[in-house]
Amino acid sequence: MDIEPVRMLTGPGVLRVVWLPGSDQLQGTCHCGAAHVADGPVEVWDWLLAHPVGHGPGRRPDEEEPPTPGRSSPSPVPAFA
Amino acid sequence: MTTIPRDQWYVAAYGREIGHDLFSRTVCGESILFWRTEAGEVTAMSDRCVHRRFPLSQAPSRLVGDAVVCGYHGFTYGADGACVAVPGQTRVPRTARLRSYPVVEQDSFVWVWIGDPARADATRIPRAPWLDSPDYATVSGMEPLAARFGLLVDNLMDLSHETYLHGGYIGTPEVAGTPITTEVDDAAGIVYVSRHMDDAECPPFYANSTGLTGRIARWQDIEYAPPCLYKLHSRIAPVGSLPNPDGTDPDAFHVEVVYAITPETENRTHDFWAVARDFALDDTSVSDFIAEQNRTVVLQDVAALDVLEQVIATEPAGYQELSINIDTGGLAARRMLTAMLQEPATAAAR
Ligand code: FES
Ligand SMILES: [Fe+2]
Ligand SMILES: [Zn+2]
């Protein structure tokens, strides 16, 4: 499903919430690509703000991971709800 | 506890409001005196005389050249706020100086820095270039709001209220019925909310100003730079028309709706509004129509928020609000404002 109407902000640390078409659900996506589907805005922001602990604003998911010893890659993970 | 972030830029006035006269406005609880020097620069300083705190904006206080003379006992201050003369003695006390404020005139607004002057960075003032661009025609105004500024932020971040509060003006069923996408960039200090209605009723506000009738594509893209500047990029076009890949958009009408949300005190707000359009630039009937309509819409919000302020001010503590999907952007804005309160230094350094 295409849930990318338009990407407006282009900074490296953008958090994004898309209202999934045809549903009442919100999908939050971290700047690292990790995503979470929630039933409301309080839950989606709670998840997004808790998630970035351990990785500050950095790369967009399409950018190369620079070598960071001792830390696992914040590569995109599937949504879990 | 305060809800007003300090170490921030706020719009204090339109440039046109300030001439070579004493002008006073309260911003974030501080009474500030403005005037334009003979060279045309806007200057901002405390509106309280250091002697016995008589308001310098109050007659018979007066401007003499580029100095203000207090109307009570004659303390006289220069454009930088330093006292240059006191009555009856030649020695001016060293500490006789009005607090002066960093001030920048830009995009038709007069911005003032509230907080530690050492932290003021004019390059961080958000821009609204349409408001004094020759490619746009702009109407604007300011309404006093007897409500805390956060209520106006909530109001503007969720435009679904247009359907209910502004029906017959800018509201149509599609506004409340169309999902939004929300983005937050903490580093840039922006909350963005996008609602693209691809097949919507044309409300009177746009039908009468653009001449489009029937169904339209109506895009609302909100860009809020907390705490003060709110921009609504509004695109009105025939159904099916899209901007070209190069960014040109010849079939669409573009309206930039700008609000400056400036706390006057904890429970009062200056509600600056401006509407810039890229069509019918020389048609004063369109300007008059948009000005009258937008002011009406703003006053509908003011009436609702004034009531809401009284409700909040008199209710028992602990009321639990309920938020739904339409509140996604408003909650993001609240969070950013709360972070500014907790870490003014960090917010200013960003
Ligand atoms: S209060 Fe201004 S000179 Fe006395
Ligand atoms: Fe409104
Ligand atoms: Zn992440």
Side-chain angles (χ1 to χ4, degrees), chain B residues 78-323:
Chain B
D80 61 355
C83 184
V84 293
V86 299
Q89 61 182 59
T90 51
R91 190 182 61 82
V92 176
R94 258 184 308 113
T95 55
R97 169 177 284 278
L98 298 171
R99 175 169 182 195
S100 73
Y101 292 81
V103 64
V104 172
E105 191 168 11
Q106 182 167 280
D107 301 331
S108 84
F109 291 130
V110 173
W111 290 86
V112 67
W113 174 261
I114 300 296
D116 177 359
R119 294 189 193 279
D121 175 358
T123 65
R124 295 200 49 84
I125 300 175
R127 299 302 305 262
W130 318 280
L131 302 189
D132 61 3
S133 162
D135 300 329
Y136 287 77
T138 300
V139 295
S140 59
M142 192 273 270
E143 314 303 330
L145 175 66
R148 62 198 69 191
F149 85 103
L151 291 181
L152 184 54
V153 175
D154 283 350
N155 173 277
L156 291 170
M157 293 307 289
D158 168 28
L159 295 181
S160 73
H161 82 269
E162 290 181 351
T163 302
Y164 300 93
L165 197 54
H166 308 304
Y169 293 87
I170 54 176
T172 72
E174 294 85 4
V175 183
T178 304
I180 50 171
T181 296
T182 306
E183 292 182 350
V184 171
D185 187 335
D186 270 324
I190 301 284
V191 180
Y192 200 108
V193 179
S194 179
R195 174 182 273 116
H196 287 191
M197 296 164 270
D198 289 321
D199 185 356
E201 202 178 294
C202 191
F205 183 91
Y206 288 118
N208 294 329
S209 56
T210 66
L212 286 180
T213 53
R215 309 291 291 179
I216 54 167
R218 181 180 182 190
W219 292 2
Q220 296 177 321
D221 286 88
I222 296 169
E223 197 178 347
Y224 174 44
C228 190
L229 196 72
Y230 169 99
K231 299 177 271 193
L232 168 62
H233 313 293
S234 179
R235 175 181 183 271
I236 306 296
V239 171
S241 154
L242 290 172
N244 295 320
D246 67 2
T248 58
D249 194 14
D251 295 333
F253 298 84
H254 300 92
V255 178
E256 300 289 343
V257 185
V258 178
Y259 284 82
I261 306 165
T262 299
E264 179 182 4
T265 62
E266 292 292 340
N267 299 94
R268 296 187 59 89
T269 302
H270 303 299
D271 183 348
F272 294 90
W273 58 268
V275 182
R277 67 179 189 276
D278 71 348
F279 56 92
L281 297 187
D282 299 320
D283 191 332
T284 54
S285 69
V286 172
S287 294
D288 292 346
F289 173 77
I290 289 181
E292 187 273 322
Q293 285 267 306
N294 204 71
R295 180 159 187 273
T296 301
V297 163
V298 169
L299 290 175
Q300 289 168 341
D301 285 324
V302 166
L305 299 182
D306 285 359
V307 168
L308 197 47
E309 174 64 35
Q310 289 311 310
V311 168
I312 293 171
T314 56
E315 76 189 359
Y319 184 86
Q320 281 293 317
E321 288 180 324
L322 177 68
S323 294

Side-chain angles (χ1 to χ4, degrees), chain A residues 9 15-17 24 41 45 49, chain B residues 182-184 324-325 328 335:
Chain A
L9 300 180
L15 305 178
R16 188 159 203 270
V17 178
D24 289 339
W45 287 124
L49 298 173
Chain B
T182 306
E183 292 182 350
V184 171
I324 62 171
N325 289 1
T328 305
R335 183 185 63 82

Side-chain angles (χ1 to χ4, degrees), chain B residues 22 56-65 67-71 74-77:
Chain B
L22 298 172
L56 295 165
S57 58
Q58 179 70 45
S61 298
R62 67 188 197 282
L63 262 185
V64 177
V68 57
V69 182
C70 179
F75 273 49
T76 300
Y77 305 91

